[in-house]
């Protein structure tokens, strides 16, 4: 049974940073693709970045280049997303989602297990 | 970036109806397309990946077709739990992008 458990809601001031965690259980953590996706209030989804822990090197959307850092800790089966230089436009629900396994697929960045989301509010 | 569009943006239907949603990509994504269902206040749920592969425990009334730039999601015999918003997502080329969603509501 796959579980993706995210850290709790955060409130930040403009210009600050936030780091959200995502602990996954079930399956071989290191070989799965993990994505961070956000949804602003009443809006659709933006893929921010992702990582396959066994490969180490993350991929990030150019839109967030330089502001987002995705990392993974294989020892604790946890993935992290840090977003810096926050503005009120970054107010959103941030989701961590697990995708396919590199052991069985060549294209694996669909998302079959989602966390419940972490609300990040940015306001002065 | 690959632009994903969906039509219609809203669809009004009744229980028992057959519903079809179209997703188009601005360039080919092969078969690397997923469909998700989201209800208010909840995380999305994966229905289909690789354009037509139904996820485990997703009812067989859901089906997906297409490749390249045009895809469809069909719901046969709409059920009460199916009133939701549906999104497509391409995962062929970075950054992976989503369609704007199609809301299926009660006629």
């Amino acid at each position: 049974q796959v579980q993706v458990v995210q850290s709790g809601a955060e409130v930040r001031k403009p210009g600050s940073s936030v780091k959200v965690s995502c602990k996954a259980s079930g399956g071989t953590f290191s070989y799965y693709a993990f994505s961070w996706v956000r949804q602003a209030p009443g809006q659709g989804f933006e893929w921010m970045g992702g990582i396959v822990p066994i490969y180490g090197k993350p991929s990030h959307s150019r839109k967030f280049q330089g502001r987002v850092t995705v990392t993974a800790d294989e020892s604790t089966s946890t993935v992290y997303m840090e977003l810096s230089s926050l503005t009120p436009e970054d107010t959103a629900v941030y989701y961590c989602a697990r995708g396919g396994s590199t052991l069985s697929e060549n294209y694996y960045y669909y998302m079959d297990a989602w966390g419940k989301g972490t609300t990040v509010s940015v306001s002065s | 970036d690959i632009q994903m569009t969906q039509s219609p943006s809203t669809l009004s239907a009744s229980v028992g109806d057959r519903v079809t949603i179209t997703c188009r990509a601005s360039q080919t994504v092969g078969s690397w397309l997923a469909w998700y269902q989201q209800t208010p206040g909840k995380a999305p749920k994966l229905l289909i990946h690789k354009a037509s592969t139904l996820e485990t425990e997703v009812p067989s009334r859901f089906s997906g077709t297409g490749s390249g730039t045009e895809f469809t999601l069909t719901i046969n015999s709409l059920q009460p739990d199916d009133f939701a918003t549906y999104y497509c997502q391409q995962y062929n080329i970075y950054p992976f992008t989503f369609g704007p969603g199609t809301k299926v509501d009660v006629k």
Side-chain angles (χ1 to χ4, degrees):
Chain A
Q1 180 87 2
V2 178
Q3 270 200 305
V4 177
V5 179
Q6 296 184 223
S7 50
E10 304 273 10
V11 179
R12 291 287 185 272
K13 298 264 192 240
S16 66
S17 298
V18 68
K19 190 170 185 176
V20 183
S21 68
C22 160
K23 186 172 175 63
S25 58
T28 308
F29 172 81
S30 297
Y31 291 91
Y32 283 97
F34 289 89
S35 290
W36 286 93
V37 174
R38 76 178 186 181
Q39 186 175 35
Q43 304 298 310
F45 295 99
E46 284 187 288
W47 183 84
M48 302 176 68
I51 191 168
V52 177
I54 195 71
Y55 296 158
K57 187 175 185 293
S59 299
H60 303 112
S61 169
R62 276 190 306 274
K63 175 176 177 178
F64 301 97
Q65 202 74 29
R67 286 212 301 142
V68 69
T69 304
V70 176
T71 56
D73 182 344
E74 293 180 77
S75 69
T76 59
S77 299
T78 303
V79 181
Y80 299 91
M81 185 282 298
E82 184 168 21
L83 186 63
S84 62
S85 302
L86 291 168
T87 72
E89 288 67 44
D90 293 315
T91 294
V93 177
Y94 289 77
Y95 290 102
C96 171
R98 195 198 76 167
S101 169
T102 62
L103 292 174
S104 55
E105 298 166 281
N106 292 322
Y107 289 79
Y108 31 75
Y109 269 109
Y110 56 89
M111 298 156 213
D112 69 354
W114 293 65
K116 291 187 176 179
T118 297
T119 299
V120 175
S121 300
V122 184
S123 173
S124 54
Chain B
D1 298 359
I2 294 178
Q3 306 302 315
M4 306 298 292
T5 59
Q6 290 182 231
S7 59
S9 55
T10 306
L11 192 161
S12 296
S14 302
V15 171
D17 284 354
R18 183 172 191 248
V19 160
T20 298
I21 298 167
T22 298
C23 172
R24 290 186 174 88
S26 60
Q27 63 188 84
T28 183
V29 299
S31 295
W32 312 114
L33 185 108
W35 288 98
Y36 302 88
Q37 175 194 65
Q38 188 184 35
T39 52
K42 297 284 187 66
K45 173 186 175 183
L46 177 67
L47 300 174
I48 287 167
H49 74 276
K50 207 161 78 173
S52 60
T53 301
L54 199 65
E55 279 301 287
T56 307
E57 296 185 9
V58 172
S60 59
R61 63 180 179 273
F62 290 91
S63 63
T65 61
S67 67
T69 61
E70 188 155 333
F71 302 85
T72 59
L73 172 71
T74 299
I75 312 171
N76 283 305
S77 188
L78 198 70
Q79 297 301 299
D81 284 350
D82 301 338
F83 293 101
T85 302
Y86 294 85
Y87 296 90
C88 60
Q89 176 231 341
Q90 66 83 15
Y91 54 100
N92 183 47
I93 295 176
Y94 293 109
F96 307 127
T97 44
F98 291 80
T102 295
K103 184 177 182 181
V104 177
D105 64 16
V106 179
K107 184 186 281 184

